[in-house]
Amino acid sequence: MLPSIVRIAPKSHHLHRTFTTPNPIPATFLRGGTSKGVFLNRAHLPEDQSQWDPIFLGIMGSPDTANGLQINGMGGGISSLSKICVVGSASAEQQAQGIDAEYTFVQVGIRDTTIDLSGNCGNLSSMIGVFAMDEGFCSRDPSALSGTTTTIRVHNTNTNKTIDITFPVTLAGDGLQPKLDLPQTTMAGVPGKASQITLEFISPAGARTGELLPTAKPLDSVNTLDQEIPVSLVDATNPTVFVTYTDLCRVLRPSSLIDFSTPELRELMESIRRAGAIKMGLDPNMQAQPKIAVLSPSCDQDHDIGIHAFSMGVLHKAVPMTVGLCLGVAAKVEGTLAWDLTKSMRLGKVEKSEFIRIKHPSGIVEVGADFAADGEVLKAKVVRTGRRIMKGVVWW
């Protein structure tokens, strides 16, 4: 099992600049999927990662204890806008394995000083290859290009996993550069069309716990409000606790619709999440890991399963991409809640490599998972889009 990495930085973080990191620091602001984040070159940061905290907090404008808007920095007051990616060149050993770049994802607290390195962000992962090419960490020979796309292989340090990122490129001078403005595909929650970016998470199982099913069971239960609630505890790309809408209705207010914005519901979800974390062998005090999501059966032919996901205790306006990918895997693991809710989709005919359509509050996303004959998860995959927004320097 990988160690949990969550740091609580000193509250008076502006008093702890004891190193020579430039201020302002070079930075790029990018959208990846339904998230936005600040991308930094690893070479511009101290070698000692414990010295990163004041830089990240200053960049994001955290902690904002007064109103949680991060008005003093680049953050946007919600978890999907309080993110940083630190990207660097691959080591010689990694290059020998075909890896082009390495990155660390950072979830920055909004009202507090938490710096969470315990998981990855599927949305921002879609732009790691673009940033790596823009920064010169890797390049592609135009004469060796077959087709109009290239694939950048990256290593994520949070989960110790490899991701293949494929996107369009165009000739610029003597080399190639990413081309993100082709009208190829749309994404729920993002206006307009953009270039298709395909992510393939290689061997995604056990990203935090080392096992696809940390309890060795597809179906568990947790006790909350003196009731047993069925859950599926699955670890693929990021560990996630899955619970059904039906069971929440039974616990909260039978025969009525659930209001996901109520404090009562949020408290129940956090209680279930914490209990699931303990069963998975994870620290329940880490809000970022595991995630928790509510599953509902399909109510229309345009999707196979519904989801409402929570991130850092708040209902996500779309779905964290790693949670969507985890659901894509879980739906093909017999006995899980997701498997049961997608029975009508399979009808005994669906191959293991097919995509499933997930409906979330902002629309629909398709995710796929490939399995080996022995049940090993070979890869999880999804299509995203991204956009360069700003390149320059940021004060911390």
Side-chain angles (χ1 to χ4, degrees):
M1 184 186 303
L2 293 172
S4 301
I5 306 176
V6 178
R7 299 196 291 270
I8 306 298
K11 291 184 178 180
S12 301
H13 58 274
H14 291 292
L15 301 178
H16 292 261
R17 299 173 183 160
T18 58
F19 40 88
T20 57
T21 299
N23 192 10
I25 187 172
T28 304
F29 195 51
L30 303 172
R31 175 184 68 80
T34 53
S35 293
K36 290 190 291 188
V38 174
F39 285 60
L40 303 174
N41 187 325
R42 176 68 175 83
H44 297 150
L45 292 169
E47 285 293 324
D48 183 359
Q49 287 193 17
S50 68
Q51 296 181 351
W52 291 3
D53 299 6
I55 302 169
F56 296 163
L57 292 169
I59 288 173
M60 283 292 139
S62 298
D64 188 348
T65 56
N67 50 43
L69 296 177
Q70 294 175 304
I71 199 69
N72 208 33
M74 295 289 291
I78 57 176
S79 63
S80 59
L81 303 179
S82 189
K83 300 180 175 185
I84 290 174
C85 289
V86 178
V87 189
S89 56
S91 66
E93 182 180 355
Q94 289 173 331
Q95 290 176 20
Q97 300 169 10
I99 294 172
D100 297 296
E102 179 182 81
Y103 76 103
T104 299
F105 168 69
V106 185
Q107 183 75 58
V108 181
I110 297 170
R111 292 181 178 270
D112 58 30
T113 58
T114 300
I115 300 296
D116 193 336
L117 284 72
S118 62
N120 189 18
C121 173
N123 277 303
L124 290 190
S125 293
S126 62
M127 291 296 282
I128 298 298
V130 171
F131 181 80
M133 286 191 75
D134 286 349
E135 291 290 303
F137 298 145
C138 55
S139 60
R140 292 293 183 265
D141 182 359
S143 64
L145 185 69
S146 59
T148 58
T149 64
T150 193
T151 298
I152 302 295
R153 173 162 285 194
V154 301
H155 174 77
N156 174 248
T157 65
N158 308 79
T159 58
N160 197 30
K161 295 292 184 178
T162 300
I163 306 166
D164 285 342
I165 310 168
T166 302
F167 49 87
V169 290
T170 185
L171 186 64
D174 295 330
L176 295 171
Q177 69 176 19
K179 186 168 181 58
L180 304 179
D181 57 356
L182 298 175
Q184 291 180 327
T185 190
T186 60
M187 260 193 63
V190 180
K193 289 188 173 183
S195 300
Q196 176 173 309
I197 302 173
T198 303
L199 287 90
E200 293 184 323
F201 291 74
I202 311 301
S203 300
R208 291 301 305 168
T209 66
E211 300 291 340
L212 174 62
L213 301 175
T215 64
K217 296 184 292 184
L219 188 63
D220 274 277
S221 67
V222 297
N223 187 285
T224 185
L225 299 180
D226 295 323
Q227 297 195 53
E228 288 293 320
I229 300 179
V231 294
S232 285
L233 308 174
V234 185
D235 183 3
T237 66
N238 260 347
T240 305
V241 178
F242 293 110
V243 62
T244 69
Y245 186 94
T246 300
D247 285 319
L248 286 186
C249 286
R250 172 175 57 82
V251 172
L252 283 175
R253 43 176 74 89
S255 303
S256 67
L257 296 176
I258 289 177
D259 183 350
F260 285 97
S261 65
T262 64
E264 181 186 19
L265 190 279
R266 291 200 302 269
E267 289 174 9
L268 175 60
M269 293 295 287
E270 180 60 12
S271 175
I272 297 171
R273 190 197 70 81
R274 291 176 66 89
I278 292 172
K279 287 205 166 194
M280 297 174 92
L282 299 172
D283 183 354
N285 295 316
M286 291 193 310
Q287 272 201 319
Q289 301 290 325
K291 306 290 188 187
I292 184 167
V294 183
L295 305 180
S296 54
S298 170
C299 57
D300 203 331
Q301 292 186 353
D302 68 348
H303 65 281
D304 303 307
I305 192 169
I307 189 170
H308 287 80
F310 283 71
S311 179
M312 304 292 284
V314 178
L315 178 67
H316 202 284
K317 293 182 178 180
V319 59
M321 204 56 260
T322 49
V323 175
L325 288 162
C326 189
L327 175 55
V329 172
K332 296 180 180 180
V333 177
E334 186 172 359
T336 65
L337 294 172
W339 167 275
D340 186 59
L341 288 172
T342 54
K343 280 182 179 178
S344 60
M345 177 196 83
R346 288 186 297 274
L347 297 176
K349 300 176 183 179
V350 172
E351 298 294 331
K352 288 186 176 181
S353 61
E354 277 198 338
F355 282 75
I356 70 165
R357 297 162 298 170
I358 300 171
K359 186 172 184 178
H360 54 80
S362 295
I364 294 174
V365 61
E366 291 186 314
V367 298
D370 292 348
F371 285 72
D374 62 0
E376 177 189 358
V377 189
L378 299 176
K379 63 178 67 172
K381 50 192 177 183
V382 69
V383 170
R384 302 276 84 187
T385 67
R387 181 173 180 263
R388 299 180 184 91
I389 298 175
M390 183 280 297
K391 183 177 180 65
V393 296
V394 61
W395 276 263
W396 52 271

